[in-house]
């Protein structure tokens, strides 16, 4: 089984996971770049190419090809490059969502949410979701998947950016981005659900792409990643450890879960053809 993986630094979890699978595991080819710059890749037909000099240099540095024809693979996996928990929390810095716990419950410590909570403008949940869906459509994963789908009929998978580590609450600045407020007000699960809905909405117009949402048993506090899955996070090469204060990335244990779900899905595809135009929600395993 040959898999093409396109993404940013979050592909490191899959590179690390693949090395532990041995010769019987799937063969993975990566087209990725840490940070910004992957969006500069160009697509012609079913081939994605690093035409930008900086992107080509990054590919070469980590032993990745400068061009990949996804039609020659059994499936393509897009990693991150879409809306994330951080996208949602940026909206919630200025707005609160009608019907969410933060609108009508007291904080965990028994105090009221206070004037700062009421100062944020009220928006509907559909408006919140639509804003996130628009951001998801602007990301490189949607752009590339849409373009490549026009020339390739192979299965595609999207792995949204994993939630940040729950260690965010152990840092000296847990209020950054509103993590602490969201947890204290009980909005964590609602944020994650809204993000899930937005990504499904954005990718719903691309045929045969399965969205592998984060399995619930890897989630802590409703919107962060449990420590066991954030442990041993690596950089884009799959070998170099992330710095000790990193909260964004997950480790090979999470990557193993992703690969297992992709392999299981492809094995099912081999025996049953899914309905065209549907978005699979990738049930947690």
């Amino acid at each position: 089984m040959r898999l093409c993986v396109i993404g940013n630094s979050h592909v490191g979890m899959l590179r690390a996971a693949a090395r532990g699978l041995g010769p019987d595991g799937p063969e993975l080819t990566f087209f990725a770049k840490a940070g910004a710059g992957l969006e500069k890749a160009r697509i012609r037909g079913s081939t994605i190419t690093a035409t930008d000099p900086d992107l080509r240099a990054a590919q070469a540095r980590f032993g990745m090809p400068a061009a990949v024809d996804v039609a020659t693979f059994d499936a393509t996996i897009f990693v991150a490059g879409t809306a994330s928990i951080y996208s949602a929390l940026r909206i919630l810095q200025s707005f609160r969502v009608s019907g969410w716990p933060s609108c009508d419950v007291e904080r965990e410590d028994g105090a009221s949410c206070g004037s700062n909570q009421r100062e944020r403008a009220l928006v509907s949940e559909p408006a919140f979701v639509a804003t996130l869906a628009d951001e998801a459509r602007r990301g490189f994963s949607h752009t590339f998947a849409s373009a490549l789908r026009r020339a390739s009929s192979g299965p595609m998978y999207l792995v949204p950016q994993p939630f940040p580590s729950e260690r965010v609450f152990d840092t000296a600045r847990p209020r950054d981005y509103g993590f602490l407020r969201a947890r204290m007000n009980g909005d964590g699960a609602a944020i994650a659900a809204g993000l899930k809905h937005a990504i499904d909405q954005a990718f719903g117009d691309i045929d045969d792409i399965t969205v592998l949402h984060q399995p619930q048993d890897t989630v802590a506090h409703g919107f962060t990643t449990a420590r066991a899955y954030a442990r041993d996070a690596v950089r884009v090469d799959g070998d170099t450890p992330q710095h000790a204060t990193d909260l964004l990335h997950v480790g090979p244990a999470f990557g193993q879960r992703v690969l297992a779900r992709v392999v299981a899905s492809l094995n099912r595809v081999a025996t049953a053809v899914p309905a065209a135009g549907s978005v699979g929600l990738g049930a947690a395993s």
Side-chain angles (χ1 to χ4, degrees):
M1 184 180 292
R2 300 180 67 241
L3 306 176
C4 175
V5 181
I6 299 173
N8 55 21
S9 59
H10 291 279
V11 307
M13 63 174 172
L14 298 183
R15 296 192 83 172
R19 293 193 176 106
L21 297 179
D24 295 330
E27 176 188 339
L28 275 68
T29 296
F30 292 87
F31 187 96
K33 183 182 183 299
L38 190 65
E39 67 280 356
K40 295 179 180 179
R42 294 293 176 262
I43 291 176
R44 184 171 184 178
S46 60
T47 300
I48 183 168
T49 304
T51 55
D52 177 75
D54 290 340
L55 181 54
R56 292 179 72 91
Q59 301 289 92
R61 178 184 176 192
F62 295 112
M64 301 180 200
V68 176
D69 182 355
V70 302
T72 64
F73 291 83
D74 295 302
T76 304
I77 305 172
F78 298 95
V79 180
T82 187
S84 69
I85 284 292
Y86 287 96
S87 309
L89 290 176
R90 278 195 295 271
I91 297 171
L92 297 175
Q93 294 285 25
S94 301
F95 299 94
R96 54 196 174 103
V97 180
S98 178
W100 280 15
S102 55
C103 287
D104 55 13
V105 301
E106 293 185 340
R107 298 188 327 201
E108 292 178 358
D109 61 3
S112 66
C113 292
S115 59
N116 186 47
Q117 172 73 6
R118 293 191 296 271
E119 286 170 1
R120 291 183 294 146
L122 190 66
V123 297
S124 69
E125 187 166 30
F128 173 76
V129 170
T131 302
L132 286 174
D134 286 344
E135 179 168 341
R137 292 186 187 96
R138 293 192 297 269
F140 66 73
S141 283
H142 191 278
T143 300
F144 293 160
S146 297
L148 292 169
R149 175 52 76 221
R150 289 192 284 270
S152 173
S153 60
M156 292 180 174
Y157 297 87
L158 171 70
V159 182
Q161 180 174 317
F163 301 157
S165 170
E166 66 172 316
R167 289 189 299 106
V168 67
F169 300 113
D170 300 336
T171 67
R173 301 168 64 184
R175 288 180 171 80
D176 286 2
Y177 290 97
F179 279 99
L180 186 60
R181 176 173 59 195
R183 178 183 173 183
M184 293 179 70
N185 289 338
D187 283 344
I191 293 170
L195 176 62
K196 176 179 181 292
H197 187 187
I199 292 174
D200 287 342
Q201 188 178 105
F203 284 81
D205 57 357
I206 302 175
D207 290 345
D208 194 17
I209 185 164
T210 300
V211 182
L212 298 177
H213 291 291
Q214 183 157 344
Q216 194 57 42
D217 65 326
T218 70
V219 178
H221 312 292
F223 69 131
T224 58
T225 295
R227 296 173 193 272
Y229 290 94
R231 188 176 299 129
D232 301 323
V234 292
R235 297 178 187 265
V236 68
D237 60 2
D239 289 317
T240 308
Q242 288 285 348
H243 54 82
T245 59
D246 176 77
L247 300 171
L248 289 176
H249 299 86
V250 294
F254 193 104
Q256 289 166 5
R257 293 287 296 275
V258 171
L259 291 179
R261 294 167 75 186
V262 170
V263 170
S265 174
L266 288 174
N267 286 338
R268 289 193 298 270
V269 169
T271 57
V273 178
S278 64
V279 174
L281 300 187
S285 60

